[in-house]
Amino acid sequence: MRVSSGRFRIRPWWVSRAPPTRRARGRRGSLLDPHSAAGQVFLVQIVIVVLLVVAGMVSVILQAAHDAVQQGRRDSLVAAQSFASSPGMVEALRSPDPTAVLQPRAEEARRKTGVDFVVVTDTRGIRLTYPFPQEIGKKFVGTIQPALEGRTVIEQAGGPPVPAGEGTAVQAVVPVTDARGTVVGLVSAGSTVENVGRLWMPQLPIILGTGAAGLALAATGTTLVSRRLLRHTHGLAPLELARLYEHHDAVLHAVREGVLITAADGRLLLANDEAKRLLGLPADAPGRHVRELGLPEQMTHLLVSPETVTDEVYLAEDRLLAVNKRATFPSGDRGGSVVTLRDTTELAAVSGRAEVARERLTLLYEAGARMGTTLDVRRTAQELADVAVPRFADIVTVDLLDAVLLGREPTAEGWRHLRRAAISGHQQAMPVYPMGEVITFSPGTPQMKALQQGKGVLEADLWQAHGWREQDPDRARRAMEMGLHSLVTMPLRARNVTLGVANFYRSAPSPAFEPEDLSFAEELAARAAVAIDNARRFAREHAMAVTLQRSLLPRGQPQQDALDVAWRYLPAEAGVGGDWFDVIPLPGARVALAMGDVVGHGLHAAATMGRLRTAVHNFATLDLPVDEVLANLDDLVVRMDNEERTEGDGEGHDGEGVTGATCLYAIYDPVTGICTMARAGHPEPVLVRPDGTVTCPGVPVSAPLGLGCYPFETAELHLSEGSRLVLYTDGLVEQRAHDIDVGLDRLRRTLSEAGLRTPEEACQAVIEALEPAHPTDDIALLVARTRRFPPSRVAEWSVPSNPAEVPSVRARCRETLRSWGLEEIGFTTELILSELATNAIRYGSPPVKVRLLYGRCLICEVSDASSTSPRLRRATTTDEGGRGLFLVAQFAQRWGTRYTARGKVIWAEQTLSDGPSAAMAHAPVDALLEQFGDAAL
């Protein structure tokens, strides 16, 4: 056998002498197989013959049809003209009964001429004759206008049934004229198309027979050619022969696998190019014995031995070859074998790199899932350190700027001073800087280079990293002696802002970092930097919002005698909301309690809360009833919403308008023990009575603020001294894990267990019991314990509406102050009370009442049934009055007017400690009165 390394023809003896296969025998039994070349030629011949037969048939049919139609036109025209020119035609048309005369003659003419119908009509187109008498007298179907003008018409038209059948008819319409040429009638004769088509039907068998004969000849010729081809190709079609050659050529020359074929006597029959390259075979190797090729002993033994080999690895020079060996004819005794060789040297290296790349991608995916799970800077830095150990580095440290840890914007000035924020790995065995320590990097360190250059720095051998060792020589020496030997430091940058550096260390026995590790460290640091920057920005905004909200909430308890108050405010983790509360002292020793919640979170909600709290203070200053306060708040929220929609400020506040708020407003009077309250969509307060009973007082709920749905319902509660009123926002009792009813039950149970603790202790107990681990909403809590004014500290009496009773008012006041031990302010109080009583008697309406309240200050109240409001004015030198309220304003610390359901109350407060008011009480009254005559005033 001869083999060439290029294109070649091969006739192997094991193919030429092999018996025909079962597949070849099957091919002999199916000579016209469409998958064979002969079968395909036969199919082409069939298609050509069929097309020719069809074309011939169509041509003959069309020609025959055309000739038949022309013949029908001629026959129709002759029949119509002959009948129209027949003798007596004109007289018959003009006879009284043309149908009786012409119908027999028309039928006779139809039978004789062979047409399907002969119809006679008058000039109006009404049939006078027809093969079927029921159609006589109806309108003729066809064109008659040219015939009325003396011309002949030949056309195809449809009409009523005729003896030959229904369908389109070829008809001729001719006029019948008298001797003067006047058209007196029309004659139409014709045949149906079906009748005309019978003229070419006899030719159809001849055409089909000719086509069948052509197909038979084609089949016979193709069969003979197919059998001859099968004999020459031994049952293999040309396509199979070409495919066999292509496959053979591809195996030998196209694949990256060596192929060797050996004979039974050890001669090399065939070696493809890849086998020659892998084994270093000479060009004339085919035909020579295997032992003459100079192959290694192990490979030579493999080629000459009859044993089968599967994926065994052999060393050929510097290559690792995977060898497979099979016998050429496993079922015969002819010997010979086929050996395939595959170079696995590069595959092993590529597989190793692919495995490393796969592990890196997996690590990056895990890093994306694990980093940034919380909006906490330190936690995110620790997540970066944990995710890189131990699959990328043995020790990881993260150093951040203090500004980043505090949520502020970092600057380049702070690069040299970084704080260690995270450590992961075996840091206990390594002398690295501990957590929280401030590190000052020198200019030559890799960390400072990375910060200045904005890209990672690789120190493959720390023994050669002079800058890193000079930072702290003792610490660096001890670390390297303990096995630390390689470093990659990567700056943490996000949005073109440097946040810090991440240091990746490897220790023995881990290999040193390589340049390709920089790209992975860069990707890992980039993802961590974005998460850290997001946490920093959140920390900054959260701190700003918390600062704003805390500045808008009460900073200390106001001085008042009605309640012992304690409160708690806890912002949400994801940002502060609009929860707020307030304690507002009111005239008459009363106190107003307010608790509200603005929908939304963030700075906008906090700012809105501040506006509402300011508005509540203003409405409380006016001393409005609780329902009117909520109504005014409702109007304010509606206006704020309208401003948001009109000005488009919602985009500037994260797309949030006010959209509504809730509020609870209550006024407690310690003299009567009555608490009047109303709530707009706010959770119901909880009341703890002095005996420890915990109840909900049943305050009716109204619509939330911002819906314009007032008036608001109010409720009056009679509270005993020592009762505790608990106000809260929904963040305390409503959580995702359970329903609000569960939170209310826990709140009531906690208050019941708290017993008679102080408000401060009760607040702490409630927060410890109900505060969620990760609050998603703000929590505001206020506990107020009621106090009552002792009856001995309250003096109240009626005054007749007579100016002469004013001295008795002063005398009663003097006695009351003497019993309270307040003689030092007696003169001032008498002056204030006499002026207020005089105004009420002179300008008000009876009944007039006086009330003195002795608490942290002395309160003087004069009430009457009039709604007129007194006002402070400037009296001229010649005025006899107008100075009373001026004196009240000078001697009292505060004074004002509040309206009740039965009139008004004018009140004035005096402090009982040393101060301006006390000093004013001892000032000579004459010196004060002289001020009214000063023209400069």
Side-chain angles (χ1 to χ4, degrees):
M1 183 178 106
R2 301 188 55 158
V3 179
S4 62
S5 60
R7 295 280 181 176
F8 57 90
R9 294 182 62 187
I10 183 169
R11 189 179 180 184
W13 57 269
W14 59 84
V15 174
S16 61
R17 298 184 181 181
T21 62
R22 182 177 301 176
R23 181 180 180 187
R25 294 194 184 96
R27 292 297 181 92
R28 290 178 183 272
S30 179
L31 299 175
L32 301 181
D33 189 350
H35 296 286
S36 64
Q40 294 173 359
V41 171
F42 176 61
L43 291 178
V44 172
Q45 290 180 350
I46 291 177
V47 172
I48 293 174
V49 171
V50 170
L51 291 178
L52 291 176
V53 170
V54 171
M57 291 177 59
V58 171
S59 177
V60 171
I61 291 172
L62 292 178
Q63 184 62 39
H66 180 266
D67 294 343
V69 172
Q70 294 299 323
Q71 183 65 33
R73 292 168 64 92
R74 288 193 297 270
D75 293 345
S76 299
L77 179 60
V78 170
Q81 288 179 344
S82 299
F83 191 77
S85 303
S86 61
M89 189 67 180
V90 175
E91 290 75 9
L93 288 172
R94 289 179 175 175
S95 65
D97 189 2
T99 301
V101 178
L102 296 175
Q103 176 68 10
R105 294 171 59 184
E107 287 300 303
E108 183 180 2
R110 179 178 67 81
R111 288 191 292 271
K112 290 181 179 182
T113 58
V115 296
D116 292 334
F117 61 88
V118 175
V119 180
V120 181
T121 68
D122 59 11
T123 56
R124 295 175 300 170
I126 303 301
R127 299 190 190 101
L128 300 178
T129 67
Y130 201 79
F132 297 119
Q134 64 268 21
E135 299 296 332
I136 298 174
K138 296 182 180 180
K139 188 71 174 180
F140 173 73
V141 179
T143 305
I144 64 173
Q145 185 61 34
L148 294 176
E149 296 175 357
R151 299 193 301 273
T152 298
V153 178
I154 301 175
E155 63 178 353
Q156 291 184 1
V162 296
E166 298 181 359
T168 304
V170 179
Q171 63 185 14
V173 183
V174 299
V176 179
T177 58
D178 57 9
R180 294 179 294 178
T182 303
V183 178
V184 296
L186 304 175
V187 176
S188 175
S191 301
T192 61
V193 174
E194 181 181 358
N195 193 17
V196 173
R198 294 173 183 172
L199 298 176
W200 53 266
M201 289 296 293
Q203 302 179 31
L204 185 58
I206 300 174
I207 298 173
L208 293 178
T210 304
L215 288 176
L217 291 175
T220 302
T222 304
T223 301
L224 295 176
V225 172
S226 176
R227 289 181 177 179
R228 188 174 181 85
L229 289 175
L230 288 175
R231 285 196 301 269
H232 283 288
T233 59
H234 299 284
L236 295 176
L239 180 62
E240 292 176 327
L241 291 175
R243 185 180 303 161
L244 180 62
Y245 176 79
E246 291 174 356
H247 290 177
H248 189 272
D249 187 65
V251 170
L252 292 177
H253 302 285
V255 298
R256 289 295 304 275
E257 190 165 299
V259 178
L260 299 172
I261 300 178
T262 60
D265 58 357
R267 288 183 301 107
L268 181 62
L269 300 179
L270 184 143
N272 68 346
D273 296 341
E274 184 67 9
K276 294 178 181 179
R277 184 183 70 84
L278 294 176
L279 298 177
L281 298 176
D284 59 348
R288 298 170 58 183
H289 198 277
V290 173
R291 298 186 183 279
E292 300 175 0
L293 301 179
L295 297 176
E297 182 60 29
Q298 187 181 18
M299 182 62 65
T300 300
H301 175 74
L302 171 67
L303 294 177
V304 299
S305 66
E307 63 182 8
T308 299
V309 175
T310 301
D311 288 335
E312 289 191 7
V313 179
Y314 289 83
L315 180 62
E317 296 182 354
D318 58 345
R319 292 187 178 92
L320 293 176
L321 301 181
V323 180
N324 288 273
K325 181 182 178 181
R326 294 292 185 274
T328 308
F329 296 102
S331 60
D333 54 355
R334 302 180 184 181
S337 62
V338 177
V339 179
T340 60
L341 310 172
R342 185 173 67 254
D343 189 356
T344 61
T345 307
E346 295 181 0
L347 179 61
V350 171
S351 299
R353 290 194 295 268
E355 181 64 21
V356 172
R358 186 189 64 80
E359 292 179 357
R360 295 287 173 84
L361 288 176
T362 303
L363 183 57
L364 285 177
Y365 174 78
E366 293 180 3
R370 292 173 56 181
M371 290 189 303
T373 56
T374 61
L375 291 174
D376 181 81
V377 175
R378 296 181 183 273
R379 178 59 184 166
T380 304
Q382 188 62 47
E383 290 169 347
L384 166 61
D386 293 340
V387 79
V389 175
R391 286 186 287 177
F392 179 68
D394 297 319
I395 298 177
V396 177
T397 62
V398 180
D399 305 324
L400 299 177
L401 279 71
D402 278 337
V404 175
L405 295 172
L406 298 176
R408 297 196 297 265
E409 197 72 22
T411 59
E413 287 76 9
W415 285 0
R416 292 192 60 185
H417 305 284
L418 285 84
R419 189 177 299 274
R420 179 131 299 173
I423 305 176
S424 183
H426 300 287
Q427 67 271 16
Q428 293 83 4
M430 293 292 175
V432 296
Y433 291 101
M435 286 281 293
E437 183 170 344
V438 177
I439 307 171
T440 302
F441 290 107
S442 59
T445 58
Q447 290 82 358
M448 187 56 63
K449 292 180 180 179
L451 291 172
Q452 294 173 347
Q453 297 173 5
K455 60 182 181 180
V457 175
L458 169 64
E459 295 291 352
D461 186 1
L462 290 180
W463 290 97
Q464 306 299 325
H466 301 288
W468 180 79
R469 289 189 290 110
E470 291 175 358
Q471 170 71 24
D472 192 338
D474 294 337
R475 189 189 300 268
R477 179 182 51 79
R478 286 186 285 116
M480 289 186 293
E481 289 176 352
M482 298 177 68
L484 210 64
H485 63 85
S486 188
L487 164 68
V488 168
T489 181
M490 189 64 60
L492 298 175
R493 292 177 56 84
R495 302 178 182 89
N496 294 325
V497 175
T498 301
L499 310 175
V501 292
N503 306 299
F504 304 92
Y505 292 95
R506 282 185 181 176
S507 59
S510 299
F513 285 111
E514 298 178 358
E516 55 265 23
D517 292 325
L518 275 176
S519 59
F520 175 78
E522 182 180 3
E523 180 67 23
L524 190 63
R527 299 190 180 194
V530 172
I532 291 174
D533 191 56
N534 289 338
R536 177 190 65 83
R537 289 170 175 263
F538 170 78
R540 181 187 61 183
E541 294 182 2
H542 184 71
M544 292 173 58
V546 170
T547 301
L548 174 62
Q549 180 148 4
R550 291 193 182 278
S551 66
L552 297 174
L553 292 174
R555 298 188 178 183
Q557 294 193 13
Q559 295 181 358
Q560 43 85 28
D561 299 322
L563 299 170
D564 293 330
V565 182
W567 59 68
R568 293 289 187 277
Y569 169 74
L570 302 176
E573 282 189 351
V576 298
D579 294 10
W580 60 279
F581 59 91
D582 213 338
V583 180
I584 308 172
L586 297 178
R590 297 168 303 139
V591 175
L593 300 177
M595 177 76 71
D597 187 1
V598 177
V599 175
H601 292 82
L603 292 175
H604 183 54
T608 303
M609 175 272 292
R611 297 176 65 180
L612 292 181
R613 180 170 177 254
T614 302
V616 169
H617 267 274
N618 295 333
F619 298 144
T621 302
L622 298 177
D623 212 342
L624 298 177
V626 292
D627 56 340
E628 293 187 20
V629 170
L630 293 183
N632 289 323
L633 285 178
D634 186 62
D635 290 338
L636 176 62
V637 174
V638 170
R639 288 197 302 270
M640 292 166 64
D641 274 336
N642 292 335
E643 291 175 0
E644 294 287 345
R645 299 188 185 98
T646 302
E647 300 177 3
D649 289 342
E651 296 180 358
H653 304 300
D654 300 331
E656 297 181 0
V658 178
T659 68
T662 65
C663 183
L664 185 148
Y665 187 72
I667 296 178
Y668 174 67
D669 188 346
V671 178
T672 61
I674 295 176
C675 180
T676 305
M677 66 177 63
R679 61 190 180 109
H682 201 80
E684 187 175 12
V686 176
L687 178 63
V688 182
R689 299 192 181 278
D691 59 357
T693 304
V694 179
T695 61
C696 291
V699 181
V701 61
S702 301
L705 303 177
L707 302 180
C709 299
Y710 61 87
F712 296 89
E713 297 185 58
T714 61
E716 285 191 356
L717 306 178
H718 292 270
L719 303 181
S720 304
E721 185 171 7
S723 299
R724 283 174 293 171
L725 193 62
V726 180
L727 310 182
Y728 55 91
T729 57
D730 56 0
L732 181 67
V733 296
E734 185 176 6
Q735 300 179 22
R736 296 178 180 177
H738 56 73
D739 191 65
I740 188 173
D741 294 335
V742 177
L744 288 174
D745 291 340
R746 292 174 58 189
L747 174 61
R748 288 191 289 265
R749 185 168 58 253
T750 302
L751 292 174
S752 178
E753 295 173 355
L756 299 178
R757 297 182 184 180
T758 64
E760 185 68 27
E761 294 172 344
C763 273
Q764 188 62 31
V766 170
I767 292 298
E768 291 177 355
L770 275 74
E771 180 187 6
H774 302 284
T776 58
D777 194 8
D778 290 11
I779 296 176
L781 173 66
L782 186 147
V783 178
R785 184 173 59 187
T786 60
R787 293 185 294 196
R788 293 288 297 272
F789 252 79
S792 60
R793 294 293 185 96
V794 180
E796 184 177 9
W797 68 91
S798 298
V799 178
S801 184
N802 185 355
E805 297 295 330
V806 174
S808 64
V809 172
R810 290 198 297 268
R812 182 81 176 264
C813 173
R814 188 181 311 112
E815 294 175 1
T816 302
L817 294 180
R818 185 180 301 112
S819 65
W820 289 343
L822 301 177
E823 294 90 348
E824 67 275 9
I825 61 172
F827 178 79
T828 305
T829 306
E830 290 179 27
L831 177 62
I832 292 174
L833 197 59
S834 64
E835 293 296 335
L836 295 181
T838 301
N839 281 338
I841 294 173
R842 178 176 297 180
Y843 304 108
S845 301
V848 178
K849 293 184 178 181
V850 174
R851 186 173 73 168
L852 298 178
L853 301 177
Y854 175 29
R856 64 179 180 83
C857 61
L858 181 64
I859 303 174
C860 301
E861 296 181 347
V862 177
S863 61
D864 64 83
S866 173
S867 60
T868 58
S869 176
R871 61 186 181 87
L872 183 65
R873 67 184 182 88
R874 178 183 178 82
T876 62
T877 306
T878 58
D879 288 342
E880 295 183 359
R883 297 176 178 86
L885 290 180
F886 182 83
L887 292 174
V888 172
Q890 292 294 324
F891 284 105
Q893 182 184 16
R894 294 192 310 156
W895 75 281
T897 304
R898 74 173 186 271
Y899 296 93
T900 65
R902 294 181 295 273
K904 68 176 182 296
V905 176
I906 306 176
W907 55 270
E909 291 183 2
Q910 295 175 268
T911 59
L912 300 179
S913 58
D914 293 337
S917 298
M920 184 65 72
H922 301 284
V925 179
D926 294 339
L928 182 63
L929 293 178
E930 288 178 358
Q931 298 180 15
F932 289 92
D934 191 353
L937 296 176

